[in-house]
Amino acid sequence: MDYNELGKKLNELLKLENEPVAIKWSVREPENIEKEEGKSRFCSKLVKAMDGEIFYSTLEEEECMGGARYCGLKDMKEYPANVQSGAFMVPNGLYKNIPAVQRSRENETYINPGIFSAIVFAPLNKAEFEPDVIFMLCSAKQGMEILHANAYDSGKHGMGTDAVPVCSSMAATPYMTGKVTYGFGDVAARKNMDINQEDIMVSVPGSDLSRIVSNLEEMRTKMFFREE
């Protein structure tokens, strides 16, 4: 499957302003891709890939506790007690108290630690690997069309992930569930990514990309989706 070509078609059909990002988890560090220089947060890595960078990252390059934990690079038990409890989030205003943090985490998705050692990032139109997840930053209209294309031949509904951390909602969730997911990103990620306030986020499992692009093409011939 030519993911570069699918990426180009996706851009043409939706007129995306931001390049979709191909993400792949790897049990070992890849030999043919450069390692990220320095540390950054998972959400910042997405921006780097949107801007054209191709790289892989390990635990050493992950600056954020959430990015490491939700993406399976570090076990939550290895963090200090105030991180495990979520107490550090309360003074920052993310939650009112520790019980609220704990209840939220019960509904958040993460990849089991100890399996993968690296995560690969690339703009979809330059990816030379089969992505596990494709992340998109888009307008509400573009997101709506992706969700319609997902349902077009399957009747499936996407998963809404509200304001859960991006590393969980837009990466771990579509990876673990195999479902198209949409959400708004968490407040910290939106600040770190410096994105437009009107943008939403959609992630598509790699196995669904070809079907969704094909459906978008067919939908363009129908009344509700014809371009004016």
Side-chain angles (χ1 to χ4, degrees):
M1 187 178 298
D2 190 336
Y3 287 95
N4 297 168
E5 188 61 31
L6 287 173
K8 291 174 184 176
K9 283 186 179 180
L10 197 60
N11 281 343
E12 292 170 3
L13 289 163
L14 295 176
K15 295 181 171 56
L16 295 171
E17 294 183 8
N18 302 287
E19 183 63 38
V21 176
I23 310 170
K24 185 174 183 63
W25 280 260
S26 178
V27 296
R28 60 181 64 85
E29 296 183 34
E31 298 179 355
N32 59 341
I33 297 175
E34 290 188 9
K35 193 174 188 178
E36 182 182 20
E37 293 185 9
K39 288 179 175 285
S40 70
R41 297 172 180 271
F42 181 89
C43 49
S44 298
K45 299 180 199 297
L46 295 174
V47 175
K48 285 184 177 183
M50 281 191 287
D51 289 341
E53 293 189 39
I54 301 171
F55 61 93
Y56 76 89
S57 175
T58 69
L59 178 60
E60 293 177 359
E61 292 74 48
E62 181 52 66
E63 191 174 27
C64 176
M65 175 278 293
R69 189 255 175 159
Y70 289 117
C71 289
L73 298 178
K74 188 170 182 177
D75 195 321
M76 177 62 94
K77 296 176 183 177
E78 298 178 43
Y79 287 103
N82 73 315
V83 174
Q84 292 190 46
S85 68
F88 76 99
M89 295 186 184
V90 177
N92 294 328
L94 292 173
Y95 292 92
K96 185 171 184 177
N97 50 42
I98 293 175
V101 180
Q102 294 291 302
R103 291 166 190 151
S104 175
R105 284 179 172 171
E106 282 296 307
N107 294 296
E108 295 169 358
T109 306
Y110 63 91
I111 295 173
N112 289 327
I115 300 171
F116 301 112
S117 62
I119 307 173
V120 187
F121 300 83
L124 180 59
N125 63 7
K126 294 181 181 178
E128 296 184 356
F129 56 85
E130 183 176 345
D132 294 316
V133 170
I134 294 95
F135 167 84
M136 285 172 272
L137 189 63
C138 56
S139 70
K141 180 178 182 295
Q142 291 163 339
M144 174 270 294
E145 292 195 347
I146 295 168
L147 293 168
H148 267 296
N150 179 50
Y152 185 69
D153 63 340
S154 67
K156 296 180 189 175
H157 289 275
M159 290 186 65
T161 54
D162 57 62
V164 173
V166 167
C167 40
S168 174
S169 61
M170 294 294 112
T173 296
Y175 181 91
M176 294 298 293
T177 65
K179 294 183 178 181
V180 175
T181 61
Y182 61 94
F184 307 99
D186 57 293
V187 62
R190 293 187 75 92
K191 285 186 176 181
N192 289 329
M193 297 172 78
D194 191 26
I195 61 178
N196 294 331
Q197 295 304 309
E198 296 80 11
D199 288 338
I200 66 166
M201 301 176 182
V202 179
S203 283
V204 173
S207 57
D208 280 328
L209 182 62
S210 179
R211 178 180 65 83
I212 286 175
V213 170
S214 176
N215 286 348
L216 280 168
E217 287 184 301
E218 185 172 331
M219 286 161 55
R220 280 284 178 265
T221 67
K222 308 299 181 181
M223 180 180 68
F224 280 121
F225 297 96
R226 286 195 192 107
E227 294 181 329
E228 297 179 358

